[in-house]
Amino acid sequence: MSNILVVYYSLFGNTKNLALEIAIQTNGTLRELIPVKSYSFNYNTAVKEVRNEISRGFCPKLIAGYESIDDYDIVFIGTPNWFKTLAPPVLSFLKQHDFSGKTIIPFCTHGGGEFGHIENDISSECLGSKILPGLAVDSTYELKNIKYWLEMLFEEYNIT
């Protein structure tokens, strides 16, 4: 049986809910990424903060979620789609670990932008890993869609 880790960053709870469902359905370990400095809970202010960090390639220091991934074979990586890319805390996580030999499965929540560049951005940070097809959902997703995606992945890629 593979050891599964479900890592995510979520500001407003959408990605957290998706990560929780993936962890439940895969019996995976759930790990939230928490930056030292939180983003504003005001949407417009948060947008300005995020746009600035992404444009600078900023990787915030994490106070939770950075722990070792050595015991895991499969790592689901979840992020909101922010300006077509990863949330900066997810980039911090990716830069802190060696993903060689691991299976990486991206997932994201979005408001219409699907994956944007997220899958490519994850691939470029996870050298030496196997990247499987991810899942991008908006707020109208249904639990049966997650179940179907996971069943397809596990069957097609022979994950046990």
Side-chain angles (χ1 to χ4, degrees):
M1 186 70 157
S2 298
N3 285 335
I4 296 173
L5 177 63
V6 181
V7 175
Y8 72 94
Y9 173 76
S10 186
L11 180 58
F12 296 115
N14 298 326
T15 309
K16 179 180 184 173
N17 292 336
L18 180 56
L20 180 59
E21 188 58 34
I22 292 169
I24 289 169
Q25 290 193 31
T26 62
N27 198 30
T29 300
L30 191 62
R31 183 182 296 176
E32 181 177 11
L33 302 175
I34 303 174
V36 169
K37 180 184 176 292
S38 298
Y39 294 99
S40 171
F41 282 105
N42 173 292
Y43 179 78
N44 291 329
T45 305
V47 166
K48 290 175 187 171
E49 292 170 358
V50 167
R51 186 184 306 261
N52 181 17
E53 287 187 0
I54 289 171
S55 69
R56 293 183 297 136
F58 180 71
C59 292
K61 184 175 180 178
L62 301 175
I63 58 172
Y66 57 81
E67 299 85 2
S68 174
I69 62 169
D70 291 347
D71 293 339
Y72 299 97
D73 309 307
I74 299 170
V75 183
F76 285 84
I77 299 174
T79 182
N81 176 336
W82 284 356
F83 302 101
K84 301 182 183 180
T85 193
L86 309 163
V90 177
L91 184 59
S92 293
F93 172 79
L94 295 176
K95 289 189 176 291
Q96 290 177 354
H97 297 286
D98 178 3
F99 293 91
S100 299
K102 303 213 180 280
T103 298
I104 306 300
I105 307 171
F107 64 96
C108 82
T109 54
H110 64 87
E114 297 287 326
F115 263 120
H117 305 287
I118 290 171
E119 288 177 304
N120 289 337
D121 295 341
I122 288 175
S123 291
S124 67
E125 295 295 335
C126 297
L127 302 177
S129 67
K130 179 178 183 181
I131 310 286
L132 299 188
L135 178 68
V137 301
D138 62 19
S139 62
T140 64
Y141 75 88
E142 296 180 24
L143 295 182
K144 68 181 181 182
N145 295 349
I146 299 167
K147 185 176 191 311
Y148 173 76
W149 168 66
L150 290 169
E151 287 173 351
M152 180 276 305
L153 276 178
F154 280 54
E155 183 177 311
E156 187 170 330
Y157 294 95
N158 198 26
I159 299 172
T160 56

